[in-house]
């Protein structure tokens, strides 16, 4: 008894010829008589009854006349048999390479199960099958080639794992697809929301994501924070949706609050500057004019440019001085410290007690 790797028996896949054989026996009709009634050879009928030949659409029509059983019955039987047989063979022909890819994706697969995008109990070949469906590919082996086409074009840096990144991007799509908002993208309203969004920098971390979602939804933007995985060095993804909205996703890779807010306003800069044609995958290592413009936007939103230049000219980077200037700018101290560290005015180990870490829940 042939069994596939999921435990199903090949013998449970019933050829339509077996049903035809039972009907002939019930009616006391010989294969020869059926051959005469349908205008085919007796050997043709014998081949069908013995499961050696399929029932074609044309022969299904002949059986409709000969047996008074609608052709659709036979066509459906044959279709179901073909589908079940294809499923059986599909499971048993999974290559070692696909199983290696599956093992390689173990971390992100575990997360997909935790958030309900993959079934918890699936493993082995059946997990490969479901992952193919999840990623809309006929084989996991196709991912590197597919990922270089169209909107899914991925970076070729050695830091990037095409399998992890492709799976991560699909996860991002599904997470934001589940968010329903009525407002289409409104960049003017987004600009108006920047001051109240900046006020969130003073809030407790648990309040930040739901408030950001609410503010951005009013501007036609679906927002979510997603888990980071090694092999997907992405700080943000922005995607145009068919309903006129945008999706903005940020990763949890960087835990410090100053980096979170700089990255957030960096992505907002991309949106305001109109940098998104279809999908913008904002890799951490990409440097170009659009990235420089988004960086400058984030810097100036967080700290007023002239005031910051004047502060730097004074050269007093003591903690009391930093705190006074932060109050003047109405920003948390950690924002200024992060900027000073980034610009090389203070060391990264300085003022550790003032740095704030965020532990954001994904979703």
């Amino acid at each position: 008894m042939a069994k596939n790797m999921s435990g199903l028996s090949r013998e449970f896949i019933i050829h339509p010829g077996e049903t035809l054989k039972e009907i002939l026996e019930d009616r006391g009709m010989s294969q020869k008589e059926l051959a005469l009634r349908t205008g085919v050879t007796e050997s043709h009928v014998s081949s069908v009854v013995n499961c050696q030949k399929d029932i074609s659409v044309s022969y299904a029509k002949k059986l409709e006349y000969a047996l008074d059983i609608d052709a659709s019955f036979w066509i459906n039987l044959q279709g179901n048999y073909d589908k079940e047989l294809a499923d059986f063979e599909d499971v048993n022909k999974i290559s070692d390479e696909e199983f290696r890819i599956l093992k390689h994706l173990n971390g992100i697969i575990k997360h997909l199960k935790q958030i309900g995008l993959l079934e918890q109990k699936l493993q082995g070949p059946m997990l490969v099958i479901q992952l193919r469906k999840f990623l809309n590919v006929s084989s996991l082996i196709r991912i590197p080639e597919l990922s270089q086409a169209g909107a899914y074009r991925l970076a070729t840096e050695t830091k990037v794992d095409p399998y992890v990144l492709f799976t991560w991007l699909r996860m991002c799509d599904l997470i934001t697809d589940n968010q329903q908002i009525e407002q289409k993208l409104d960049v003017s309203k987004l600009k108006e929301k920047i001051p109240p969004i900046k006020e969130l920098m003073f809030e407790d971390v648990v309040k930040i994501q739901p408030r950001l979602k609410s503010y951005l939804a009013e501007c036609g933007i679906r927002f979510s924070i997603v888990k980071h995985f090694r092999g997907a060095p992405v700080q943000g993804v922005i995607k145009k949706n068919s309903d006129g909205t945008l999706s903005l996703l940020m990763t949890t890779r960087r835990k410090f609050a100053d980096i979170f807010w700089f990255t957030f306003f960096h992505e907002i800069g991309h949106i305001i500057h109109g940098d998104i044609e279809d999908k913008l995958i904002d890799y951490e290592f990409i440097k170009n004019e659009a990235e420089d413009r988004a960086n400058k936007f984030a810097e100036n939103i967080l700290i007023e440019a002239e005031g910051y230049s004047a502060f730097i000219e004074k050269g007093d980077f003591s903690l009391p001085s930093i705190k006074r200037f932060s109050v003047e700018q109405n920003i948390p101290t950690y924002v200024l410290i992060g900027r000073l560290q980034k610009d090389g005015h203070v060391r990264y180990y300085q003022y550790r007690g003032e740095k704030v870490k965020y532990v954001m829940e994904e979703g």
Side-chain angles (χ1 to χ4, degrees), residues 195-238:
I197 287 175
K198 286 185 66 176
E199 290 298 319
L200 294 179
M201 294 189 296
F202 295 98
E203 292 283 359
D204 187 270
V205 65
V206 297
K207 299 179 181 179
I208 292 173
Q209 185 170 190
R211 295 278 293 278
L212 278 178
K213 279 189 175 184
S214 176
Y215 285 145
L216 293 175
E218 294 177 38
C219 306
I221 300 172
R222 303 173 184 177
F223 176 74
S224 194
I225 295 173
V226 293
K227 186 176 177 64
H228 164 263
F229 292 92
R230 185 185 298 275
V234 178
Q235 58 185 9
V237 177
I238 309 172

Side-chain angles (χ1 to χ4, degrees), residues 155-191:
T156 55
E157 287 268 333
T158 55
K159 300 176 186 177
V160 176
D161 183 316
Y163 301 102
V164 173
L165 185 52
F166 191 82
T167 306
W168 184 85
L169 287 171
R170 177 61 177 153
M171 176 185 74
C172 289
D173 284 344
L174 293 177
I175 287 173
T176 52
D177 284 348
N178 290 332
Q179 295 181 23
Q180 300 298 321
I181 59 176
E182 297 180 1
Q183 172 67 49
K184 293 184 179 181
L185 177 65
D186 188 331
V187 174
S188 296
K189 187 174 288 186
L190 177 59
K191 292 177 181 178

Side-chain angles (χ1 to χ4, degrees), residues 4 41 78 140 198-199 221 281 287 328 339 341:
N4 68 16
T41 64
Q78 185 65 55
L140 304 182
K198 286 185 66 176
E199 290 298 319
I221 300 172
I281 304 171
K287 297 184 183 300
E328 292 172 12
R339 175 73 177 275
Q341 290 174 338

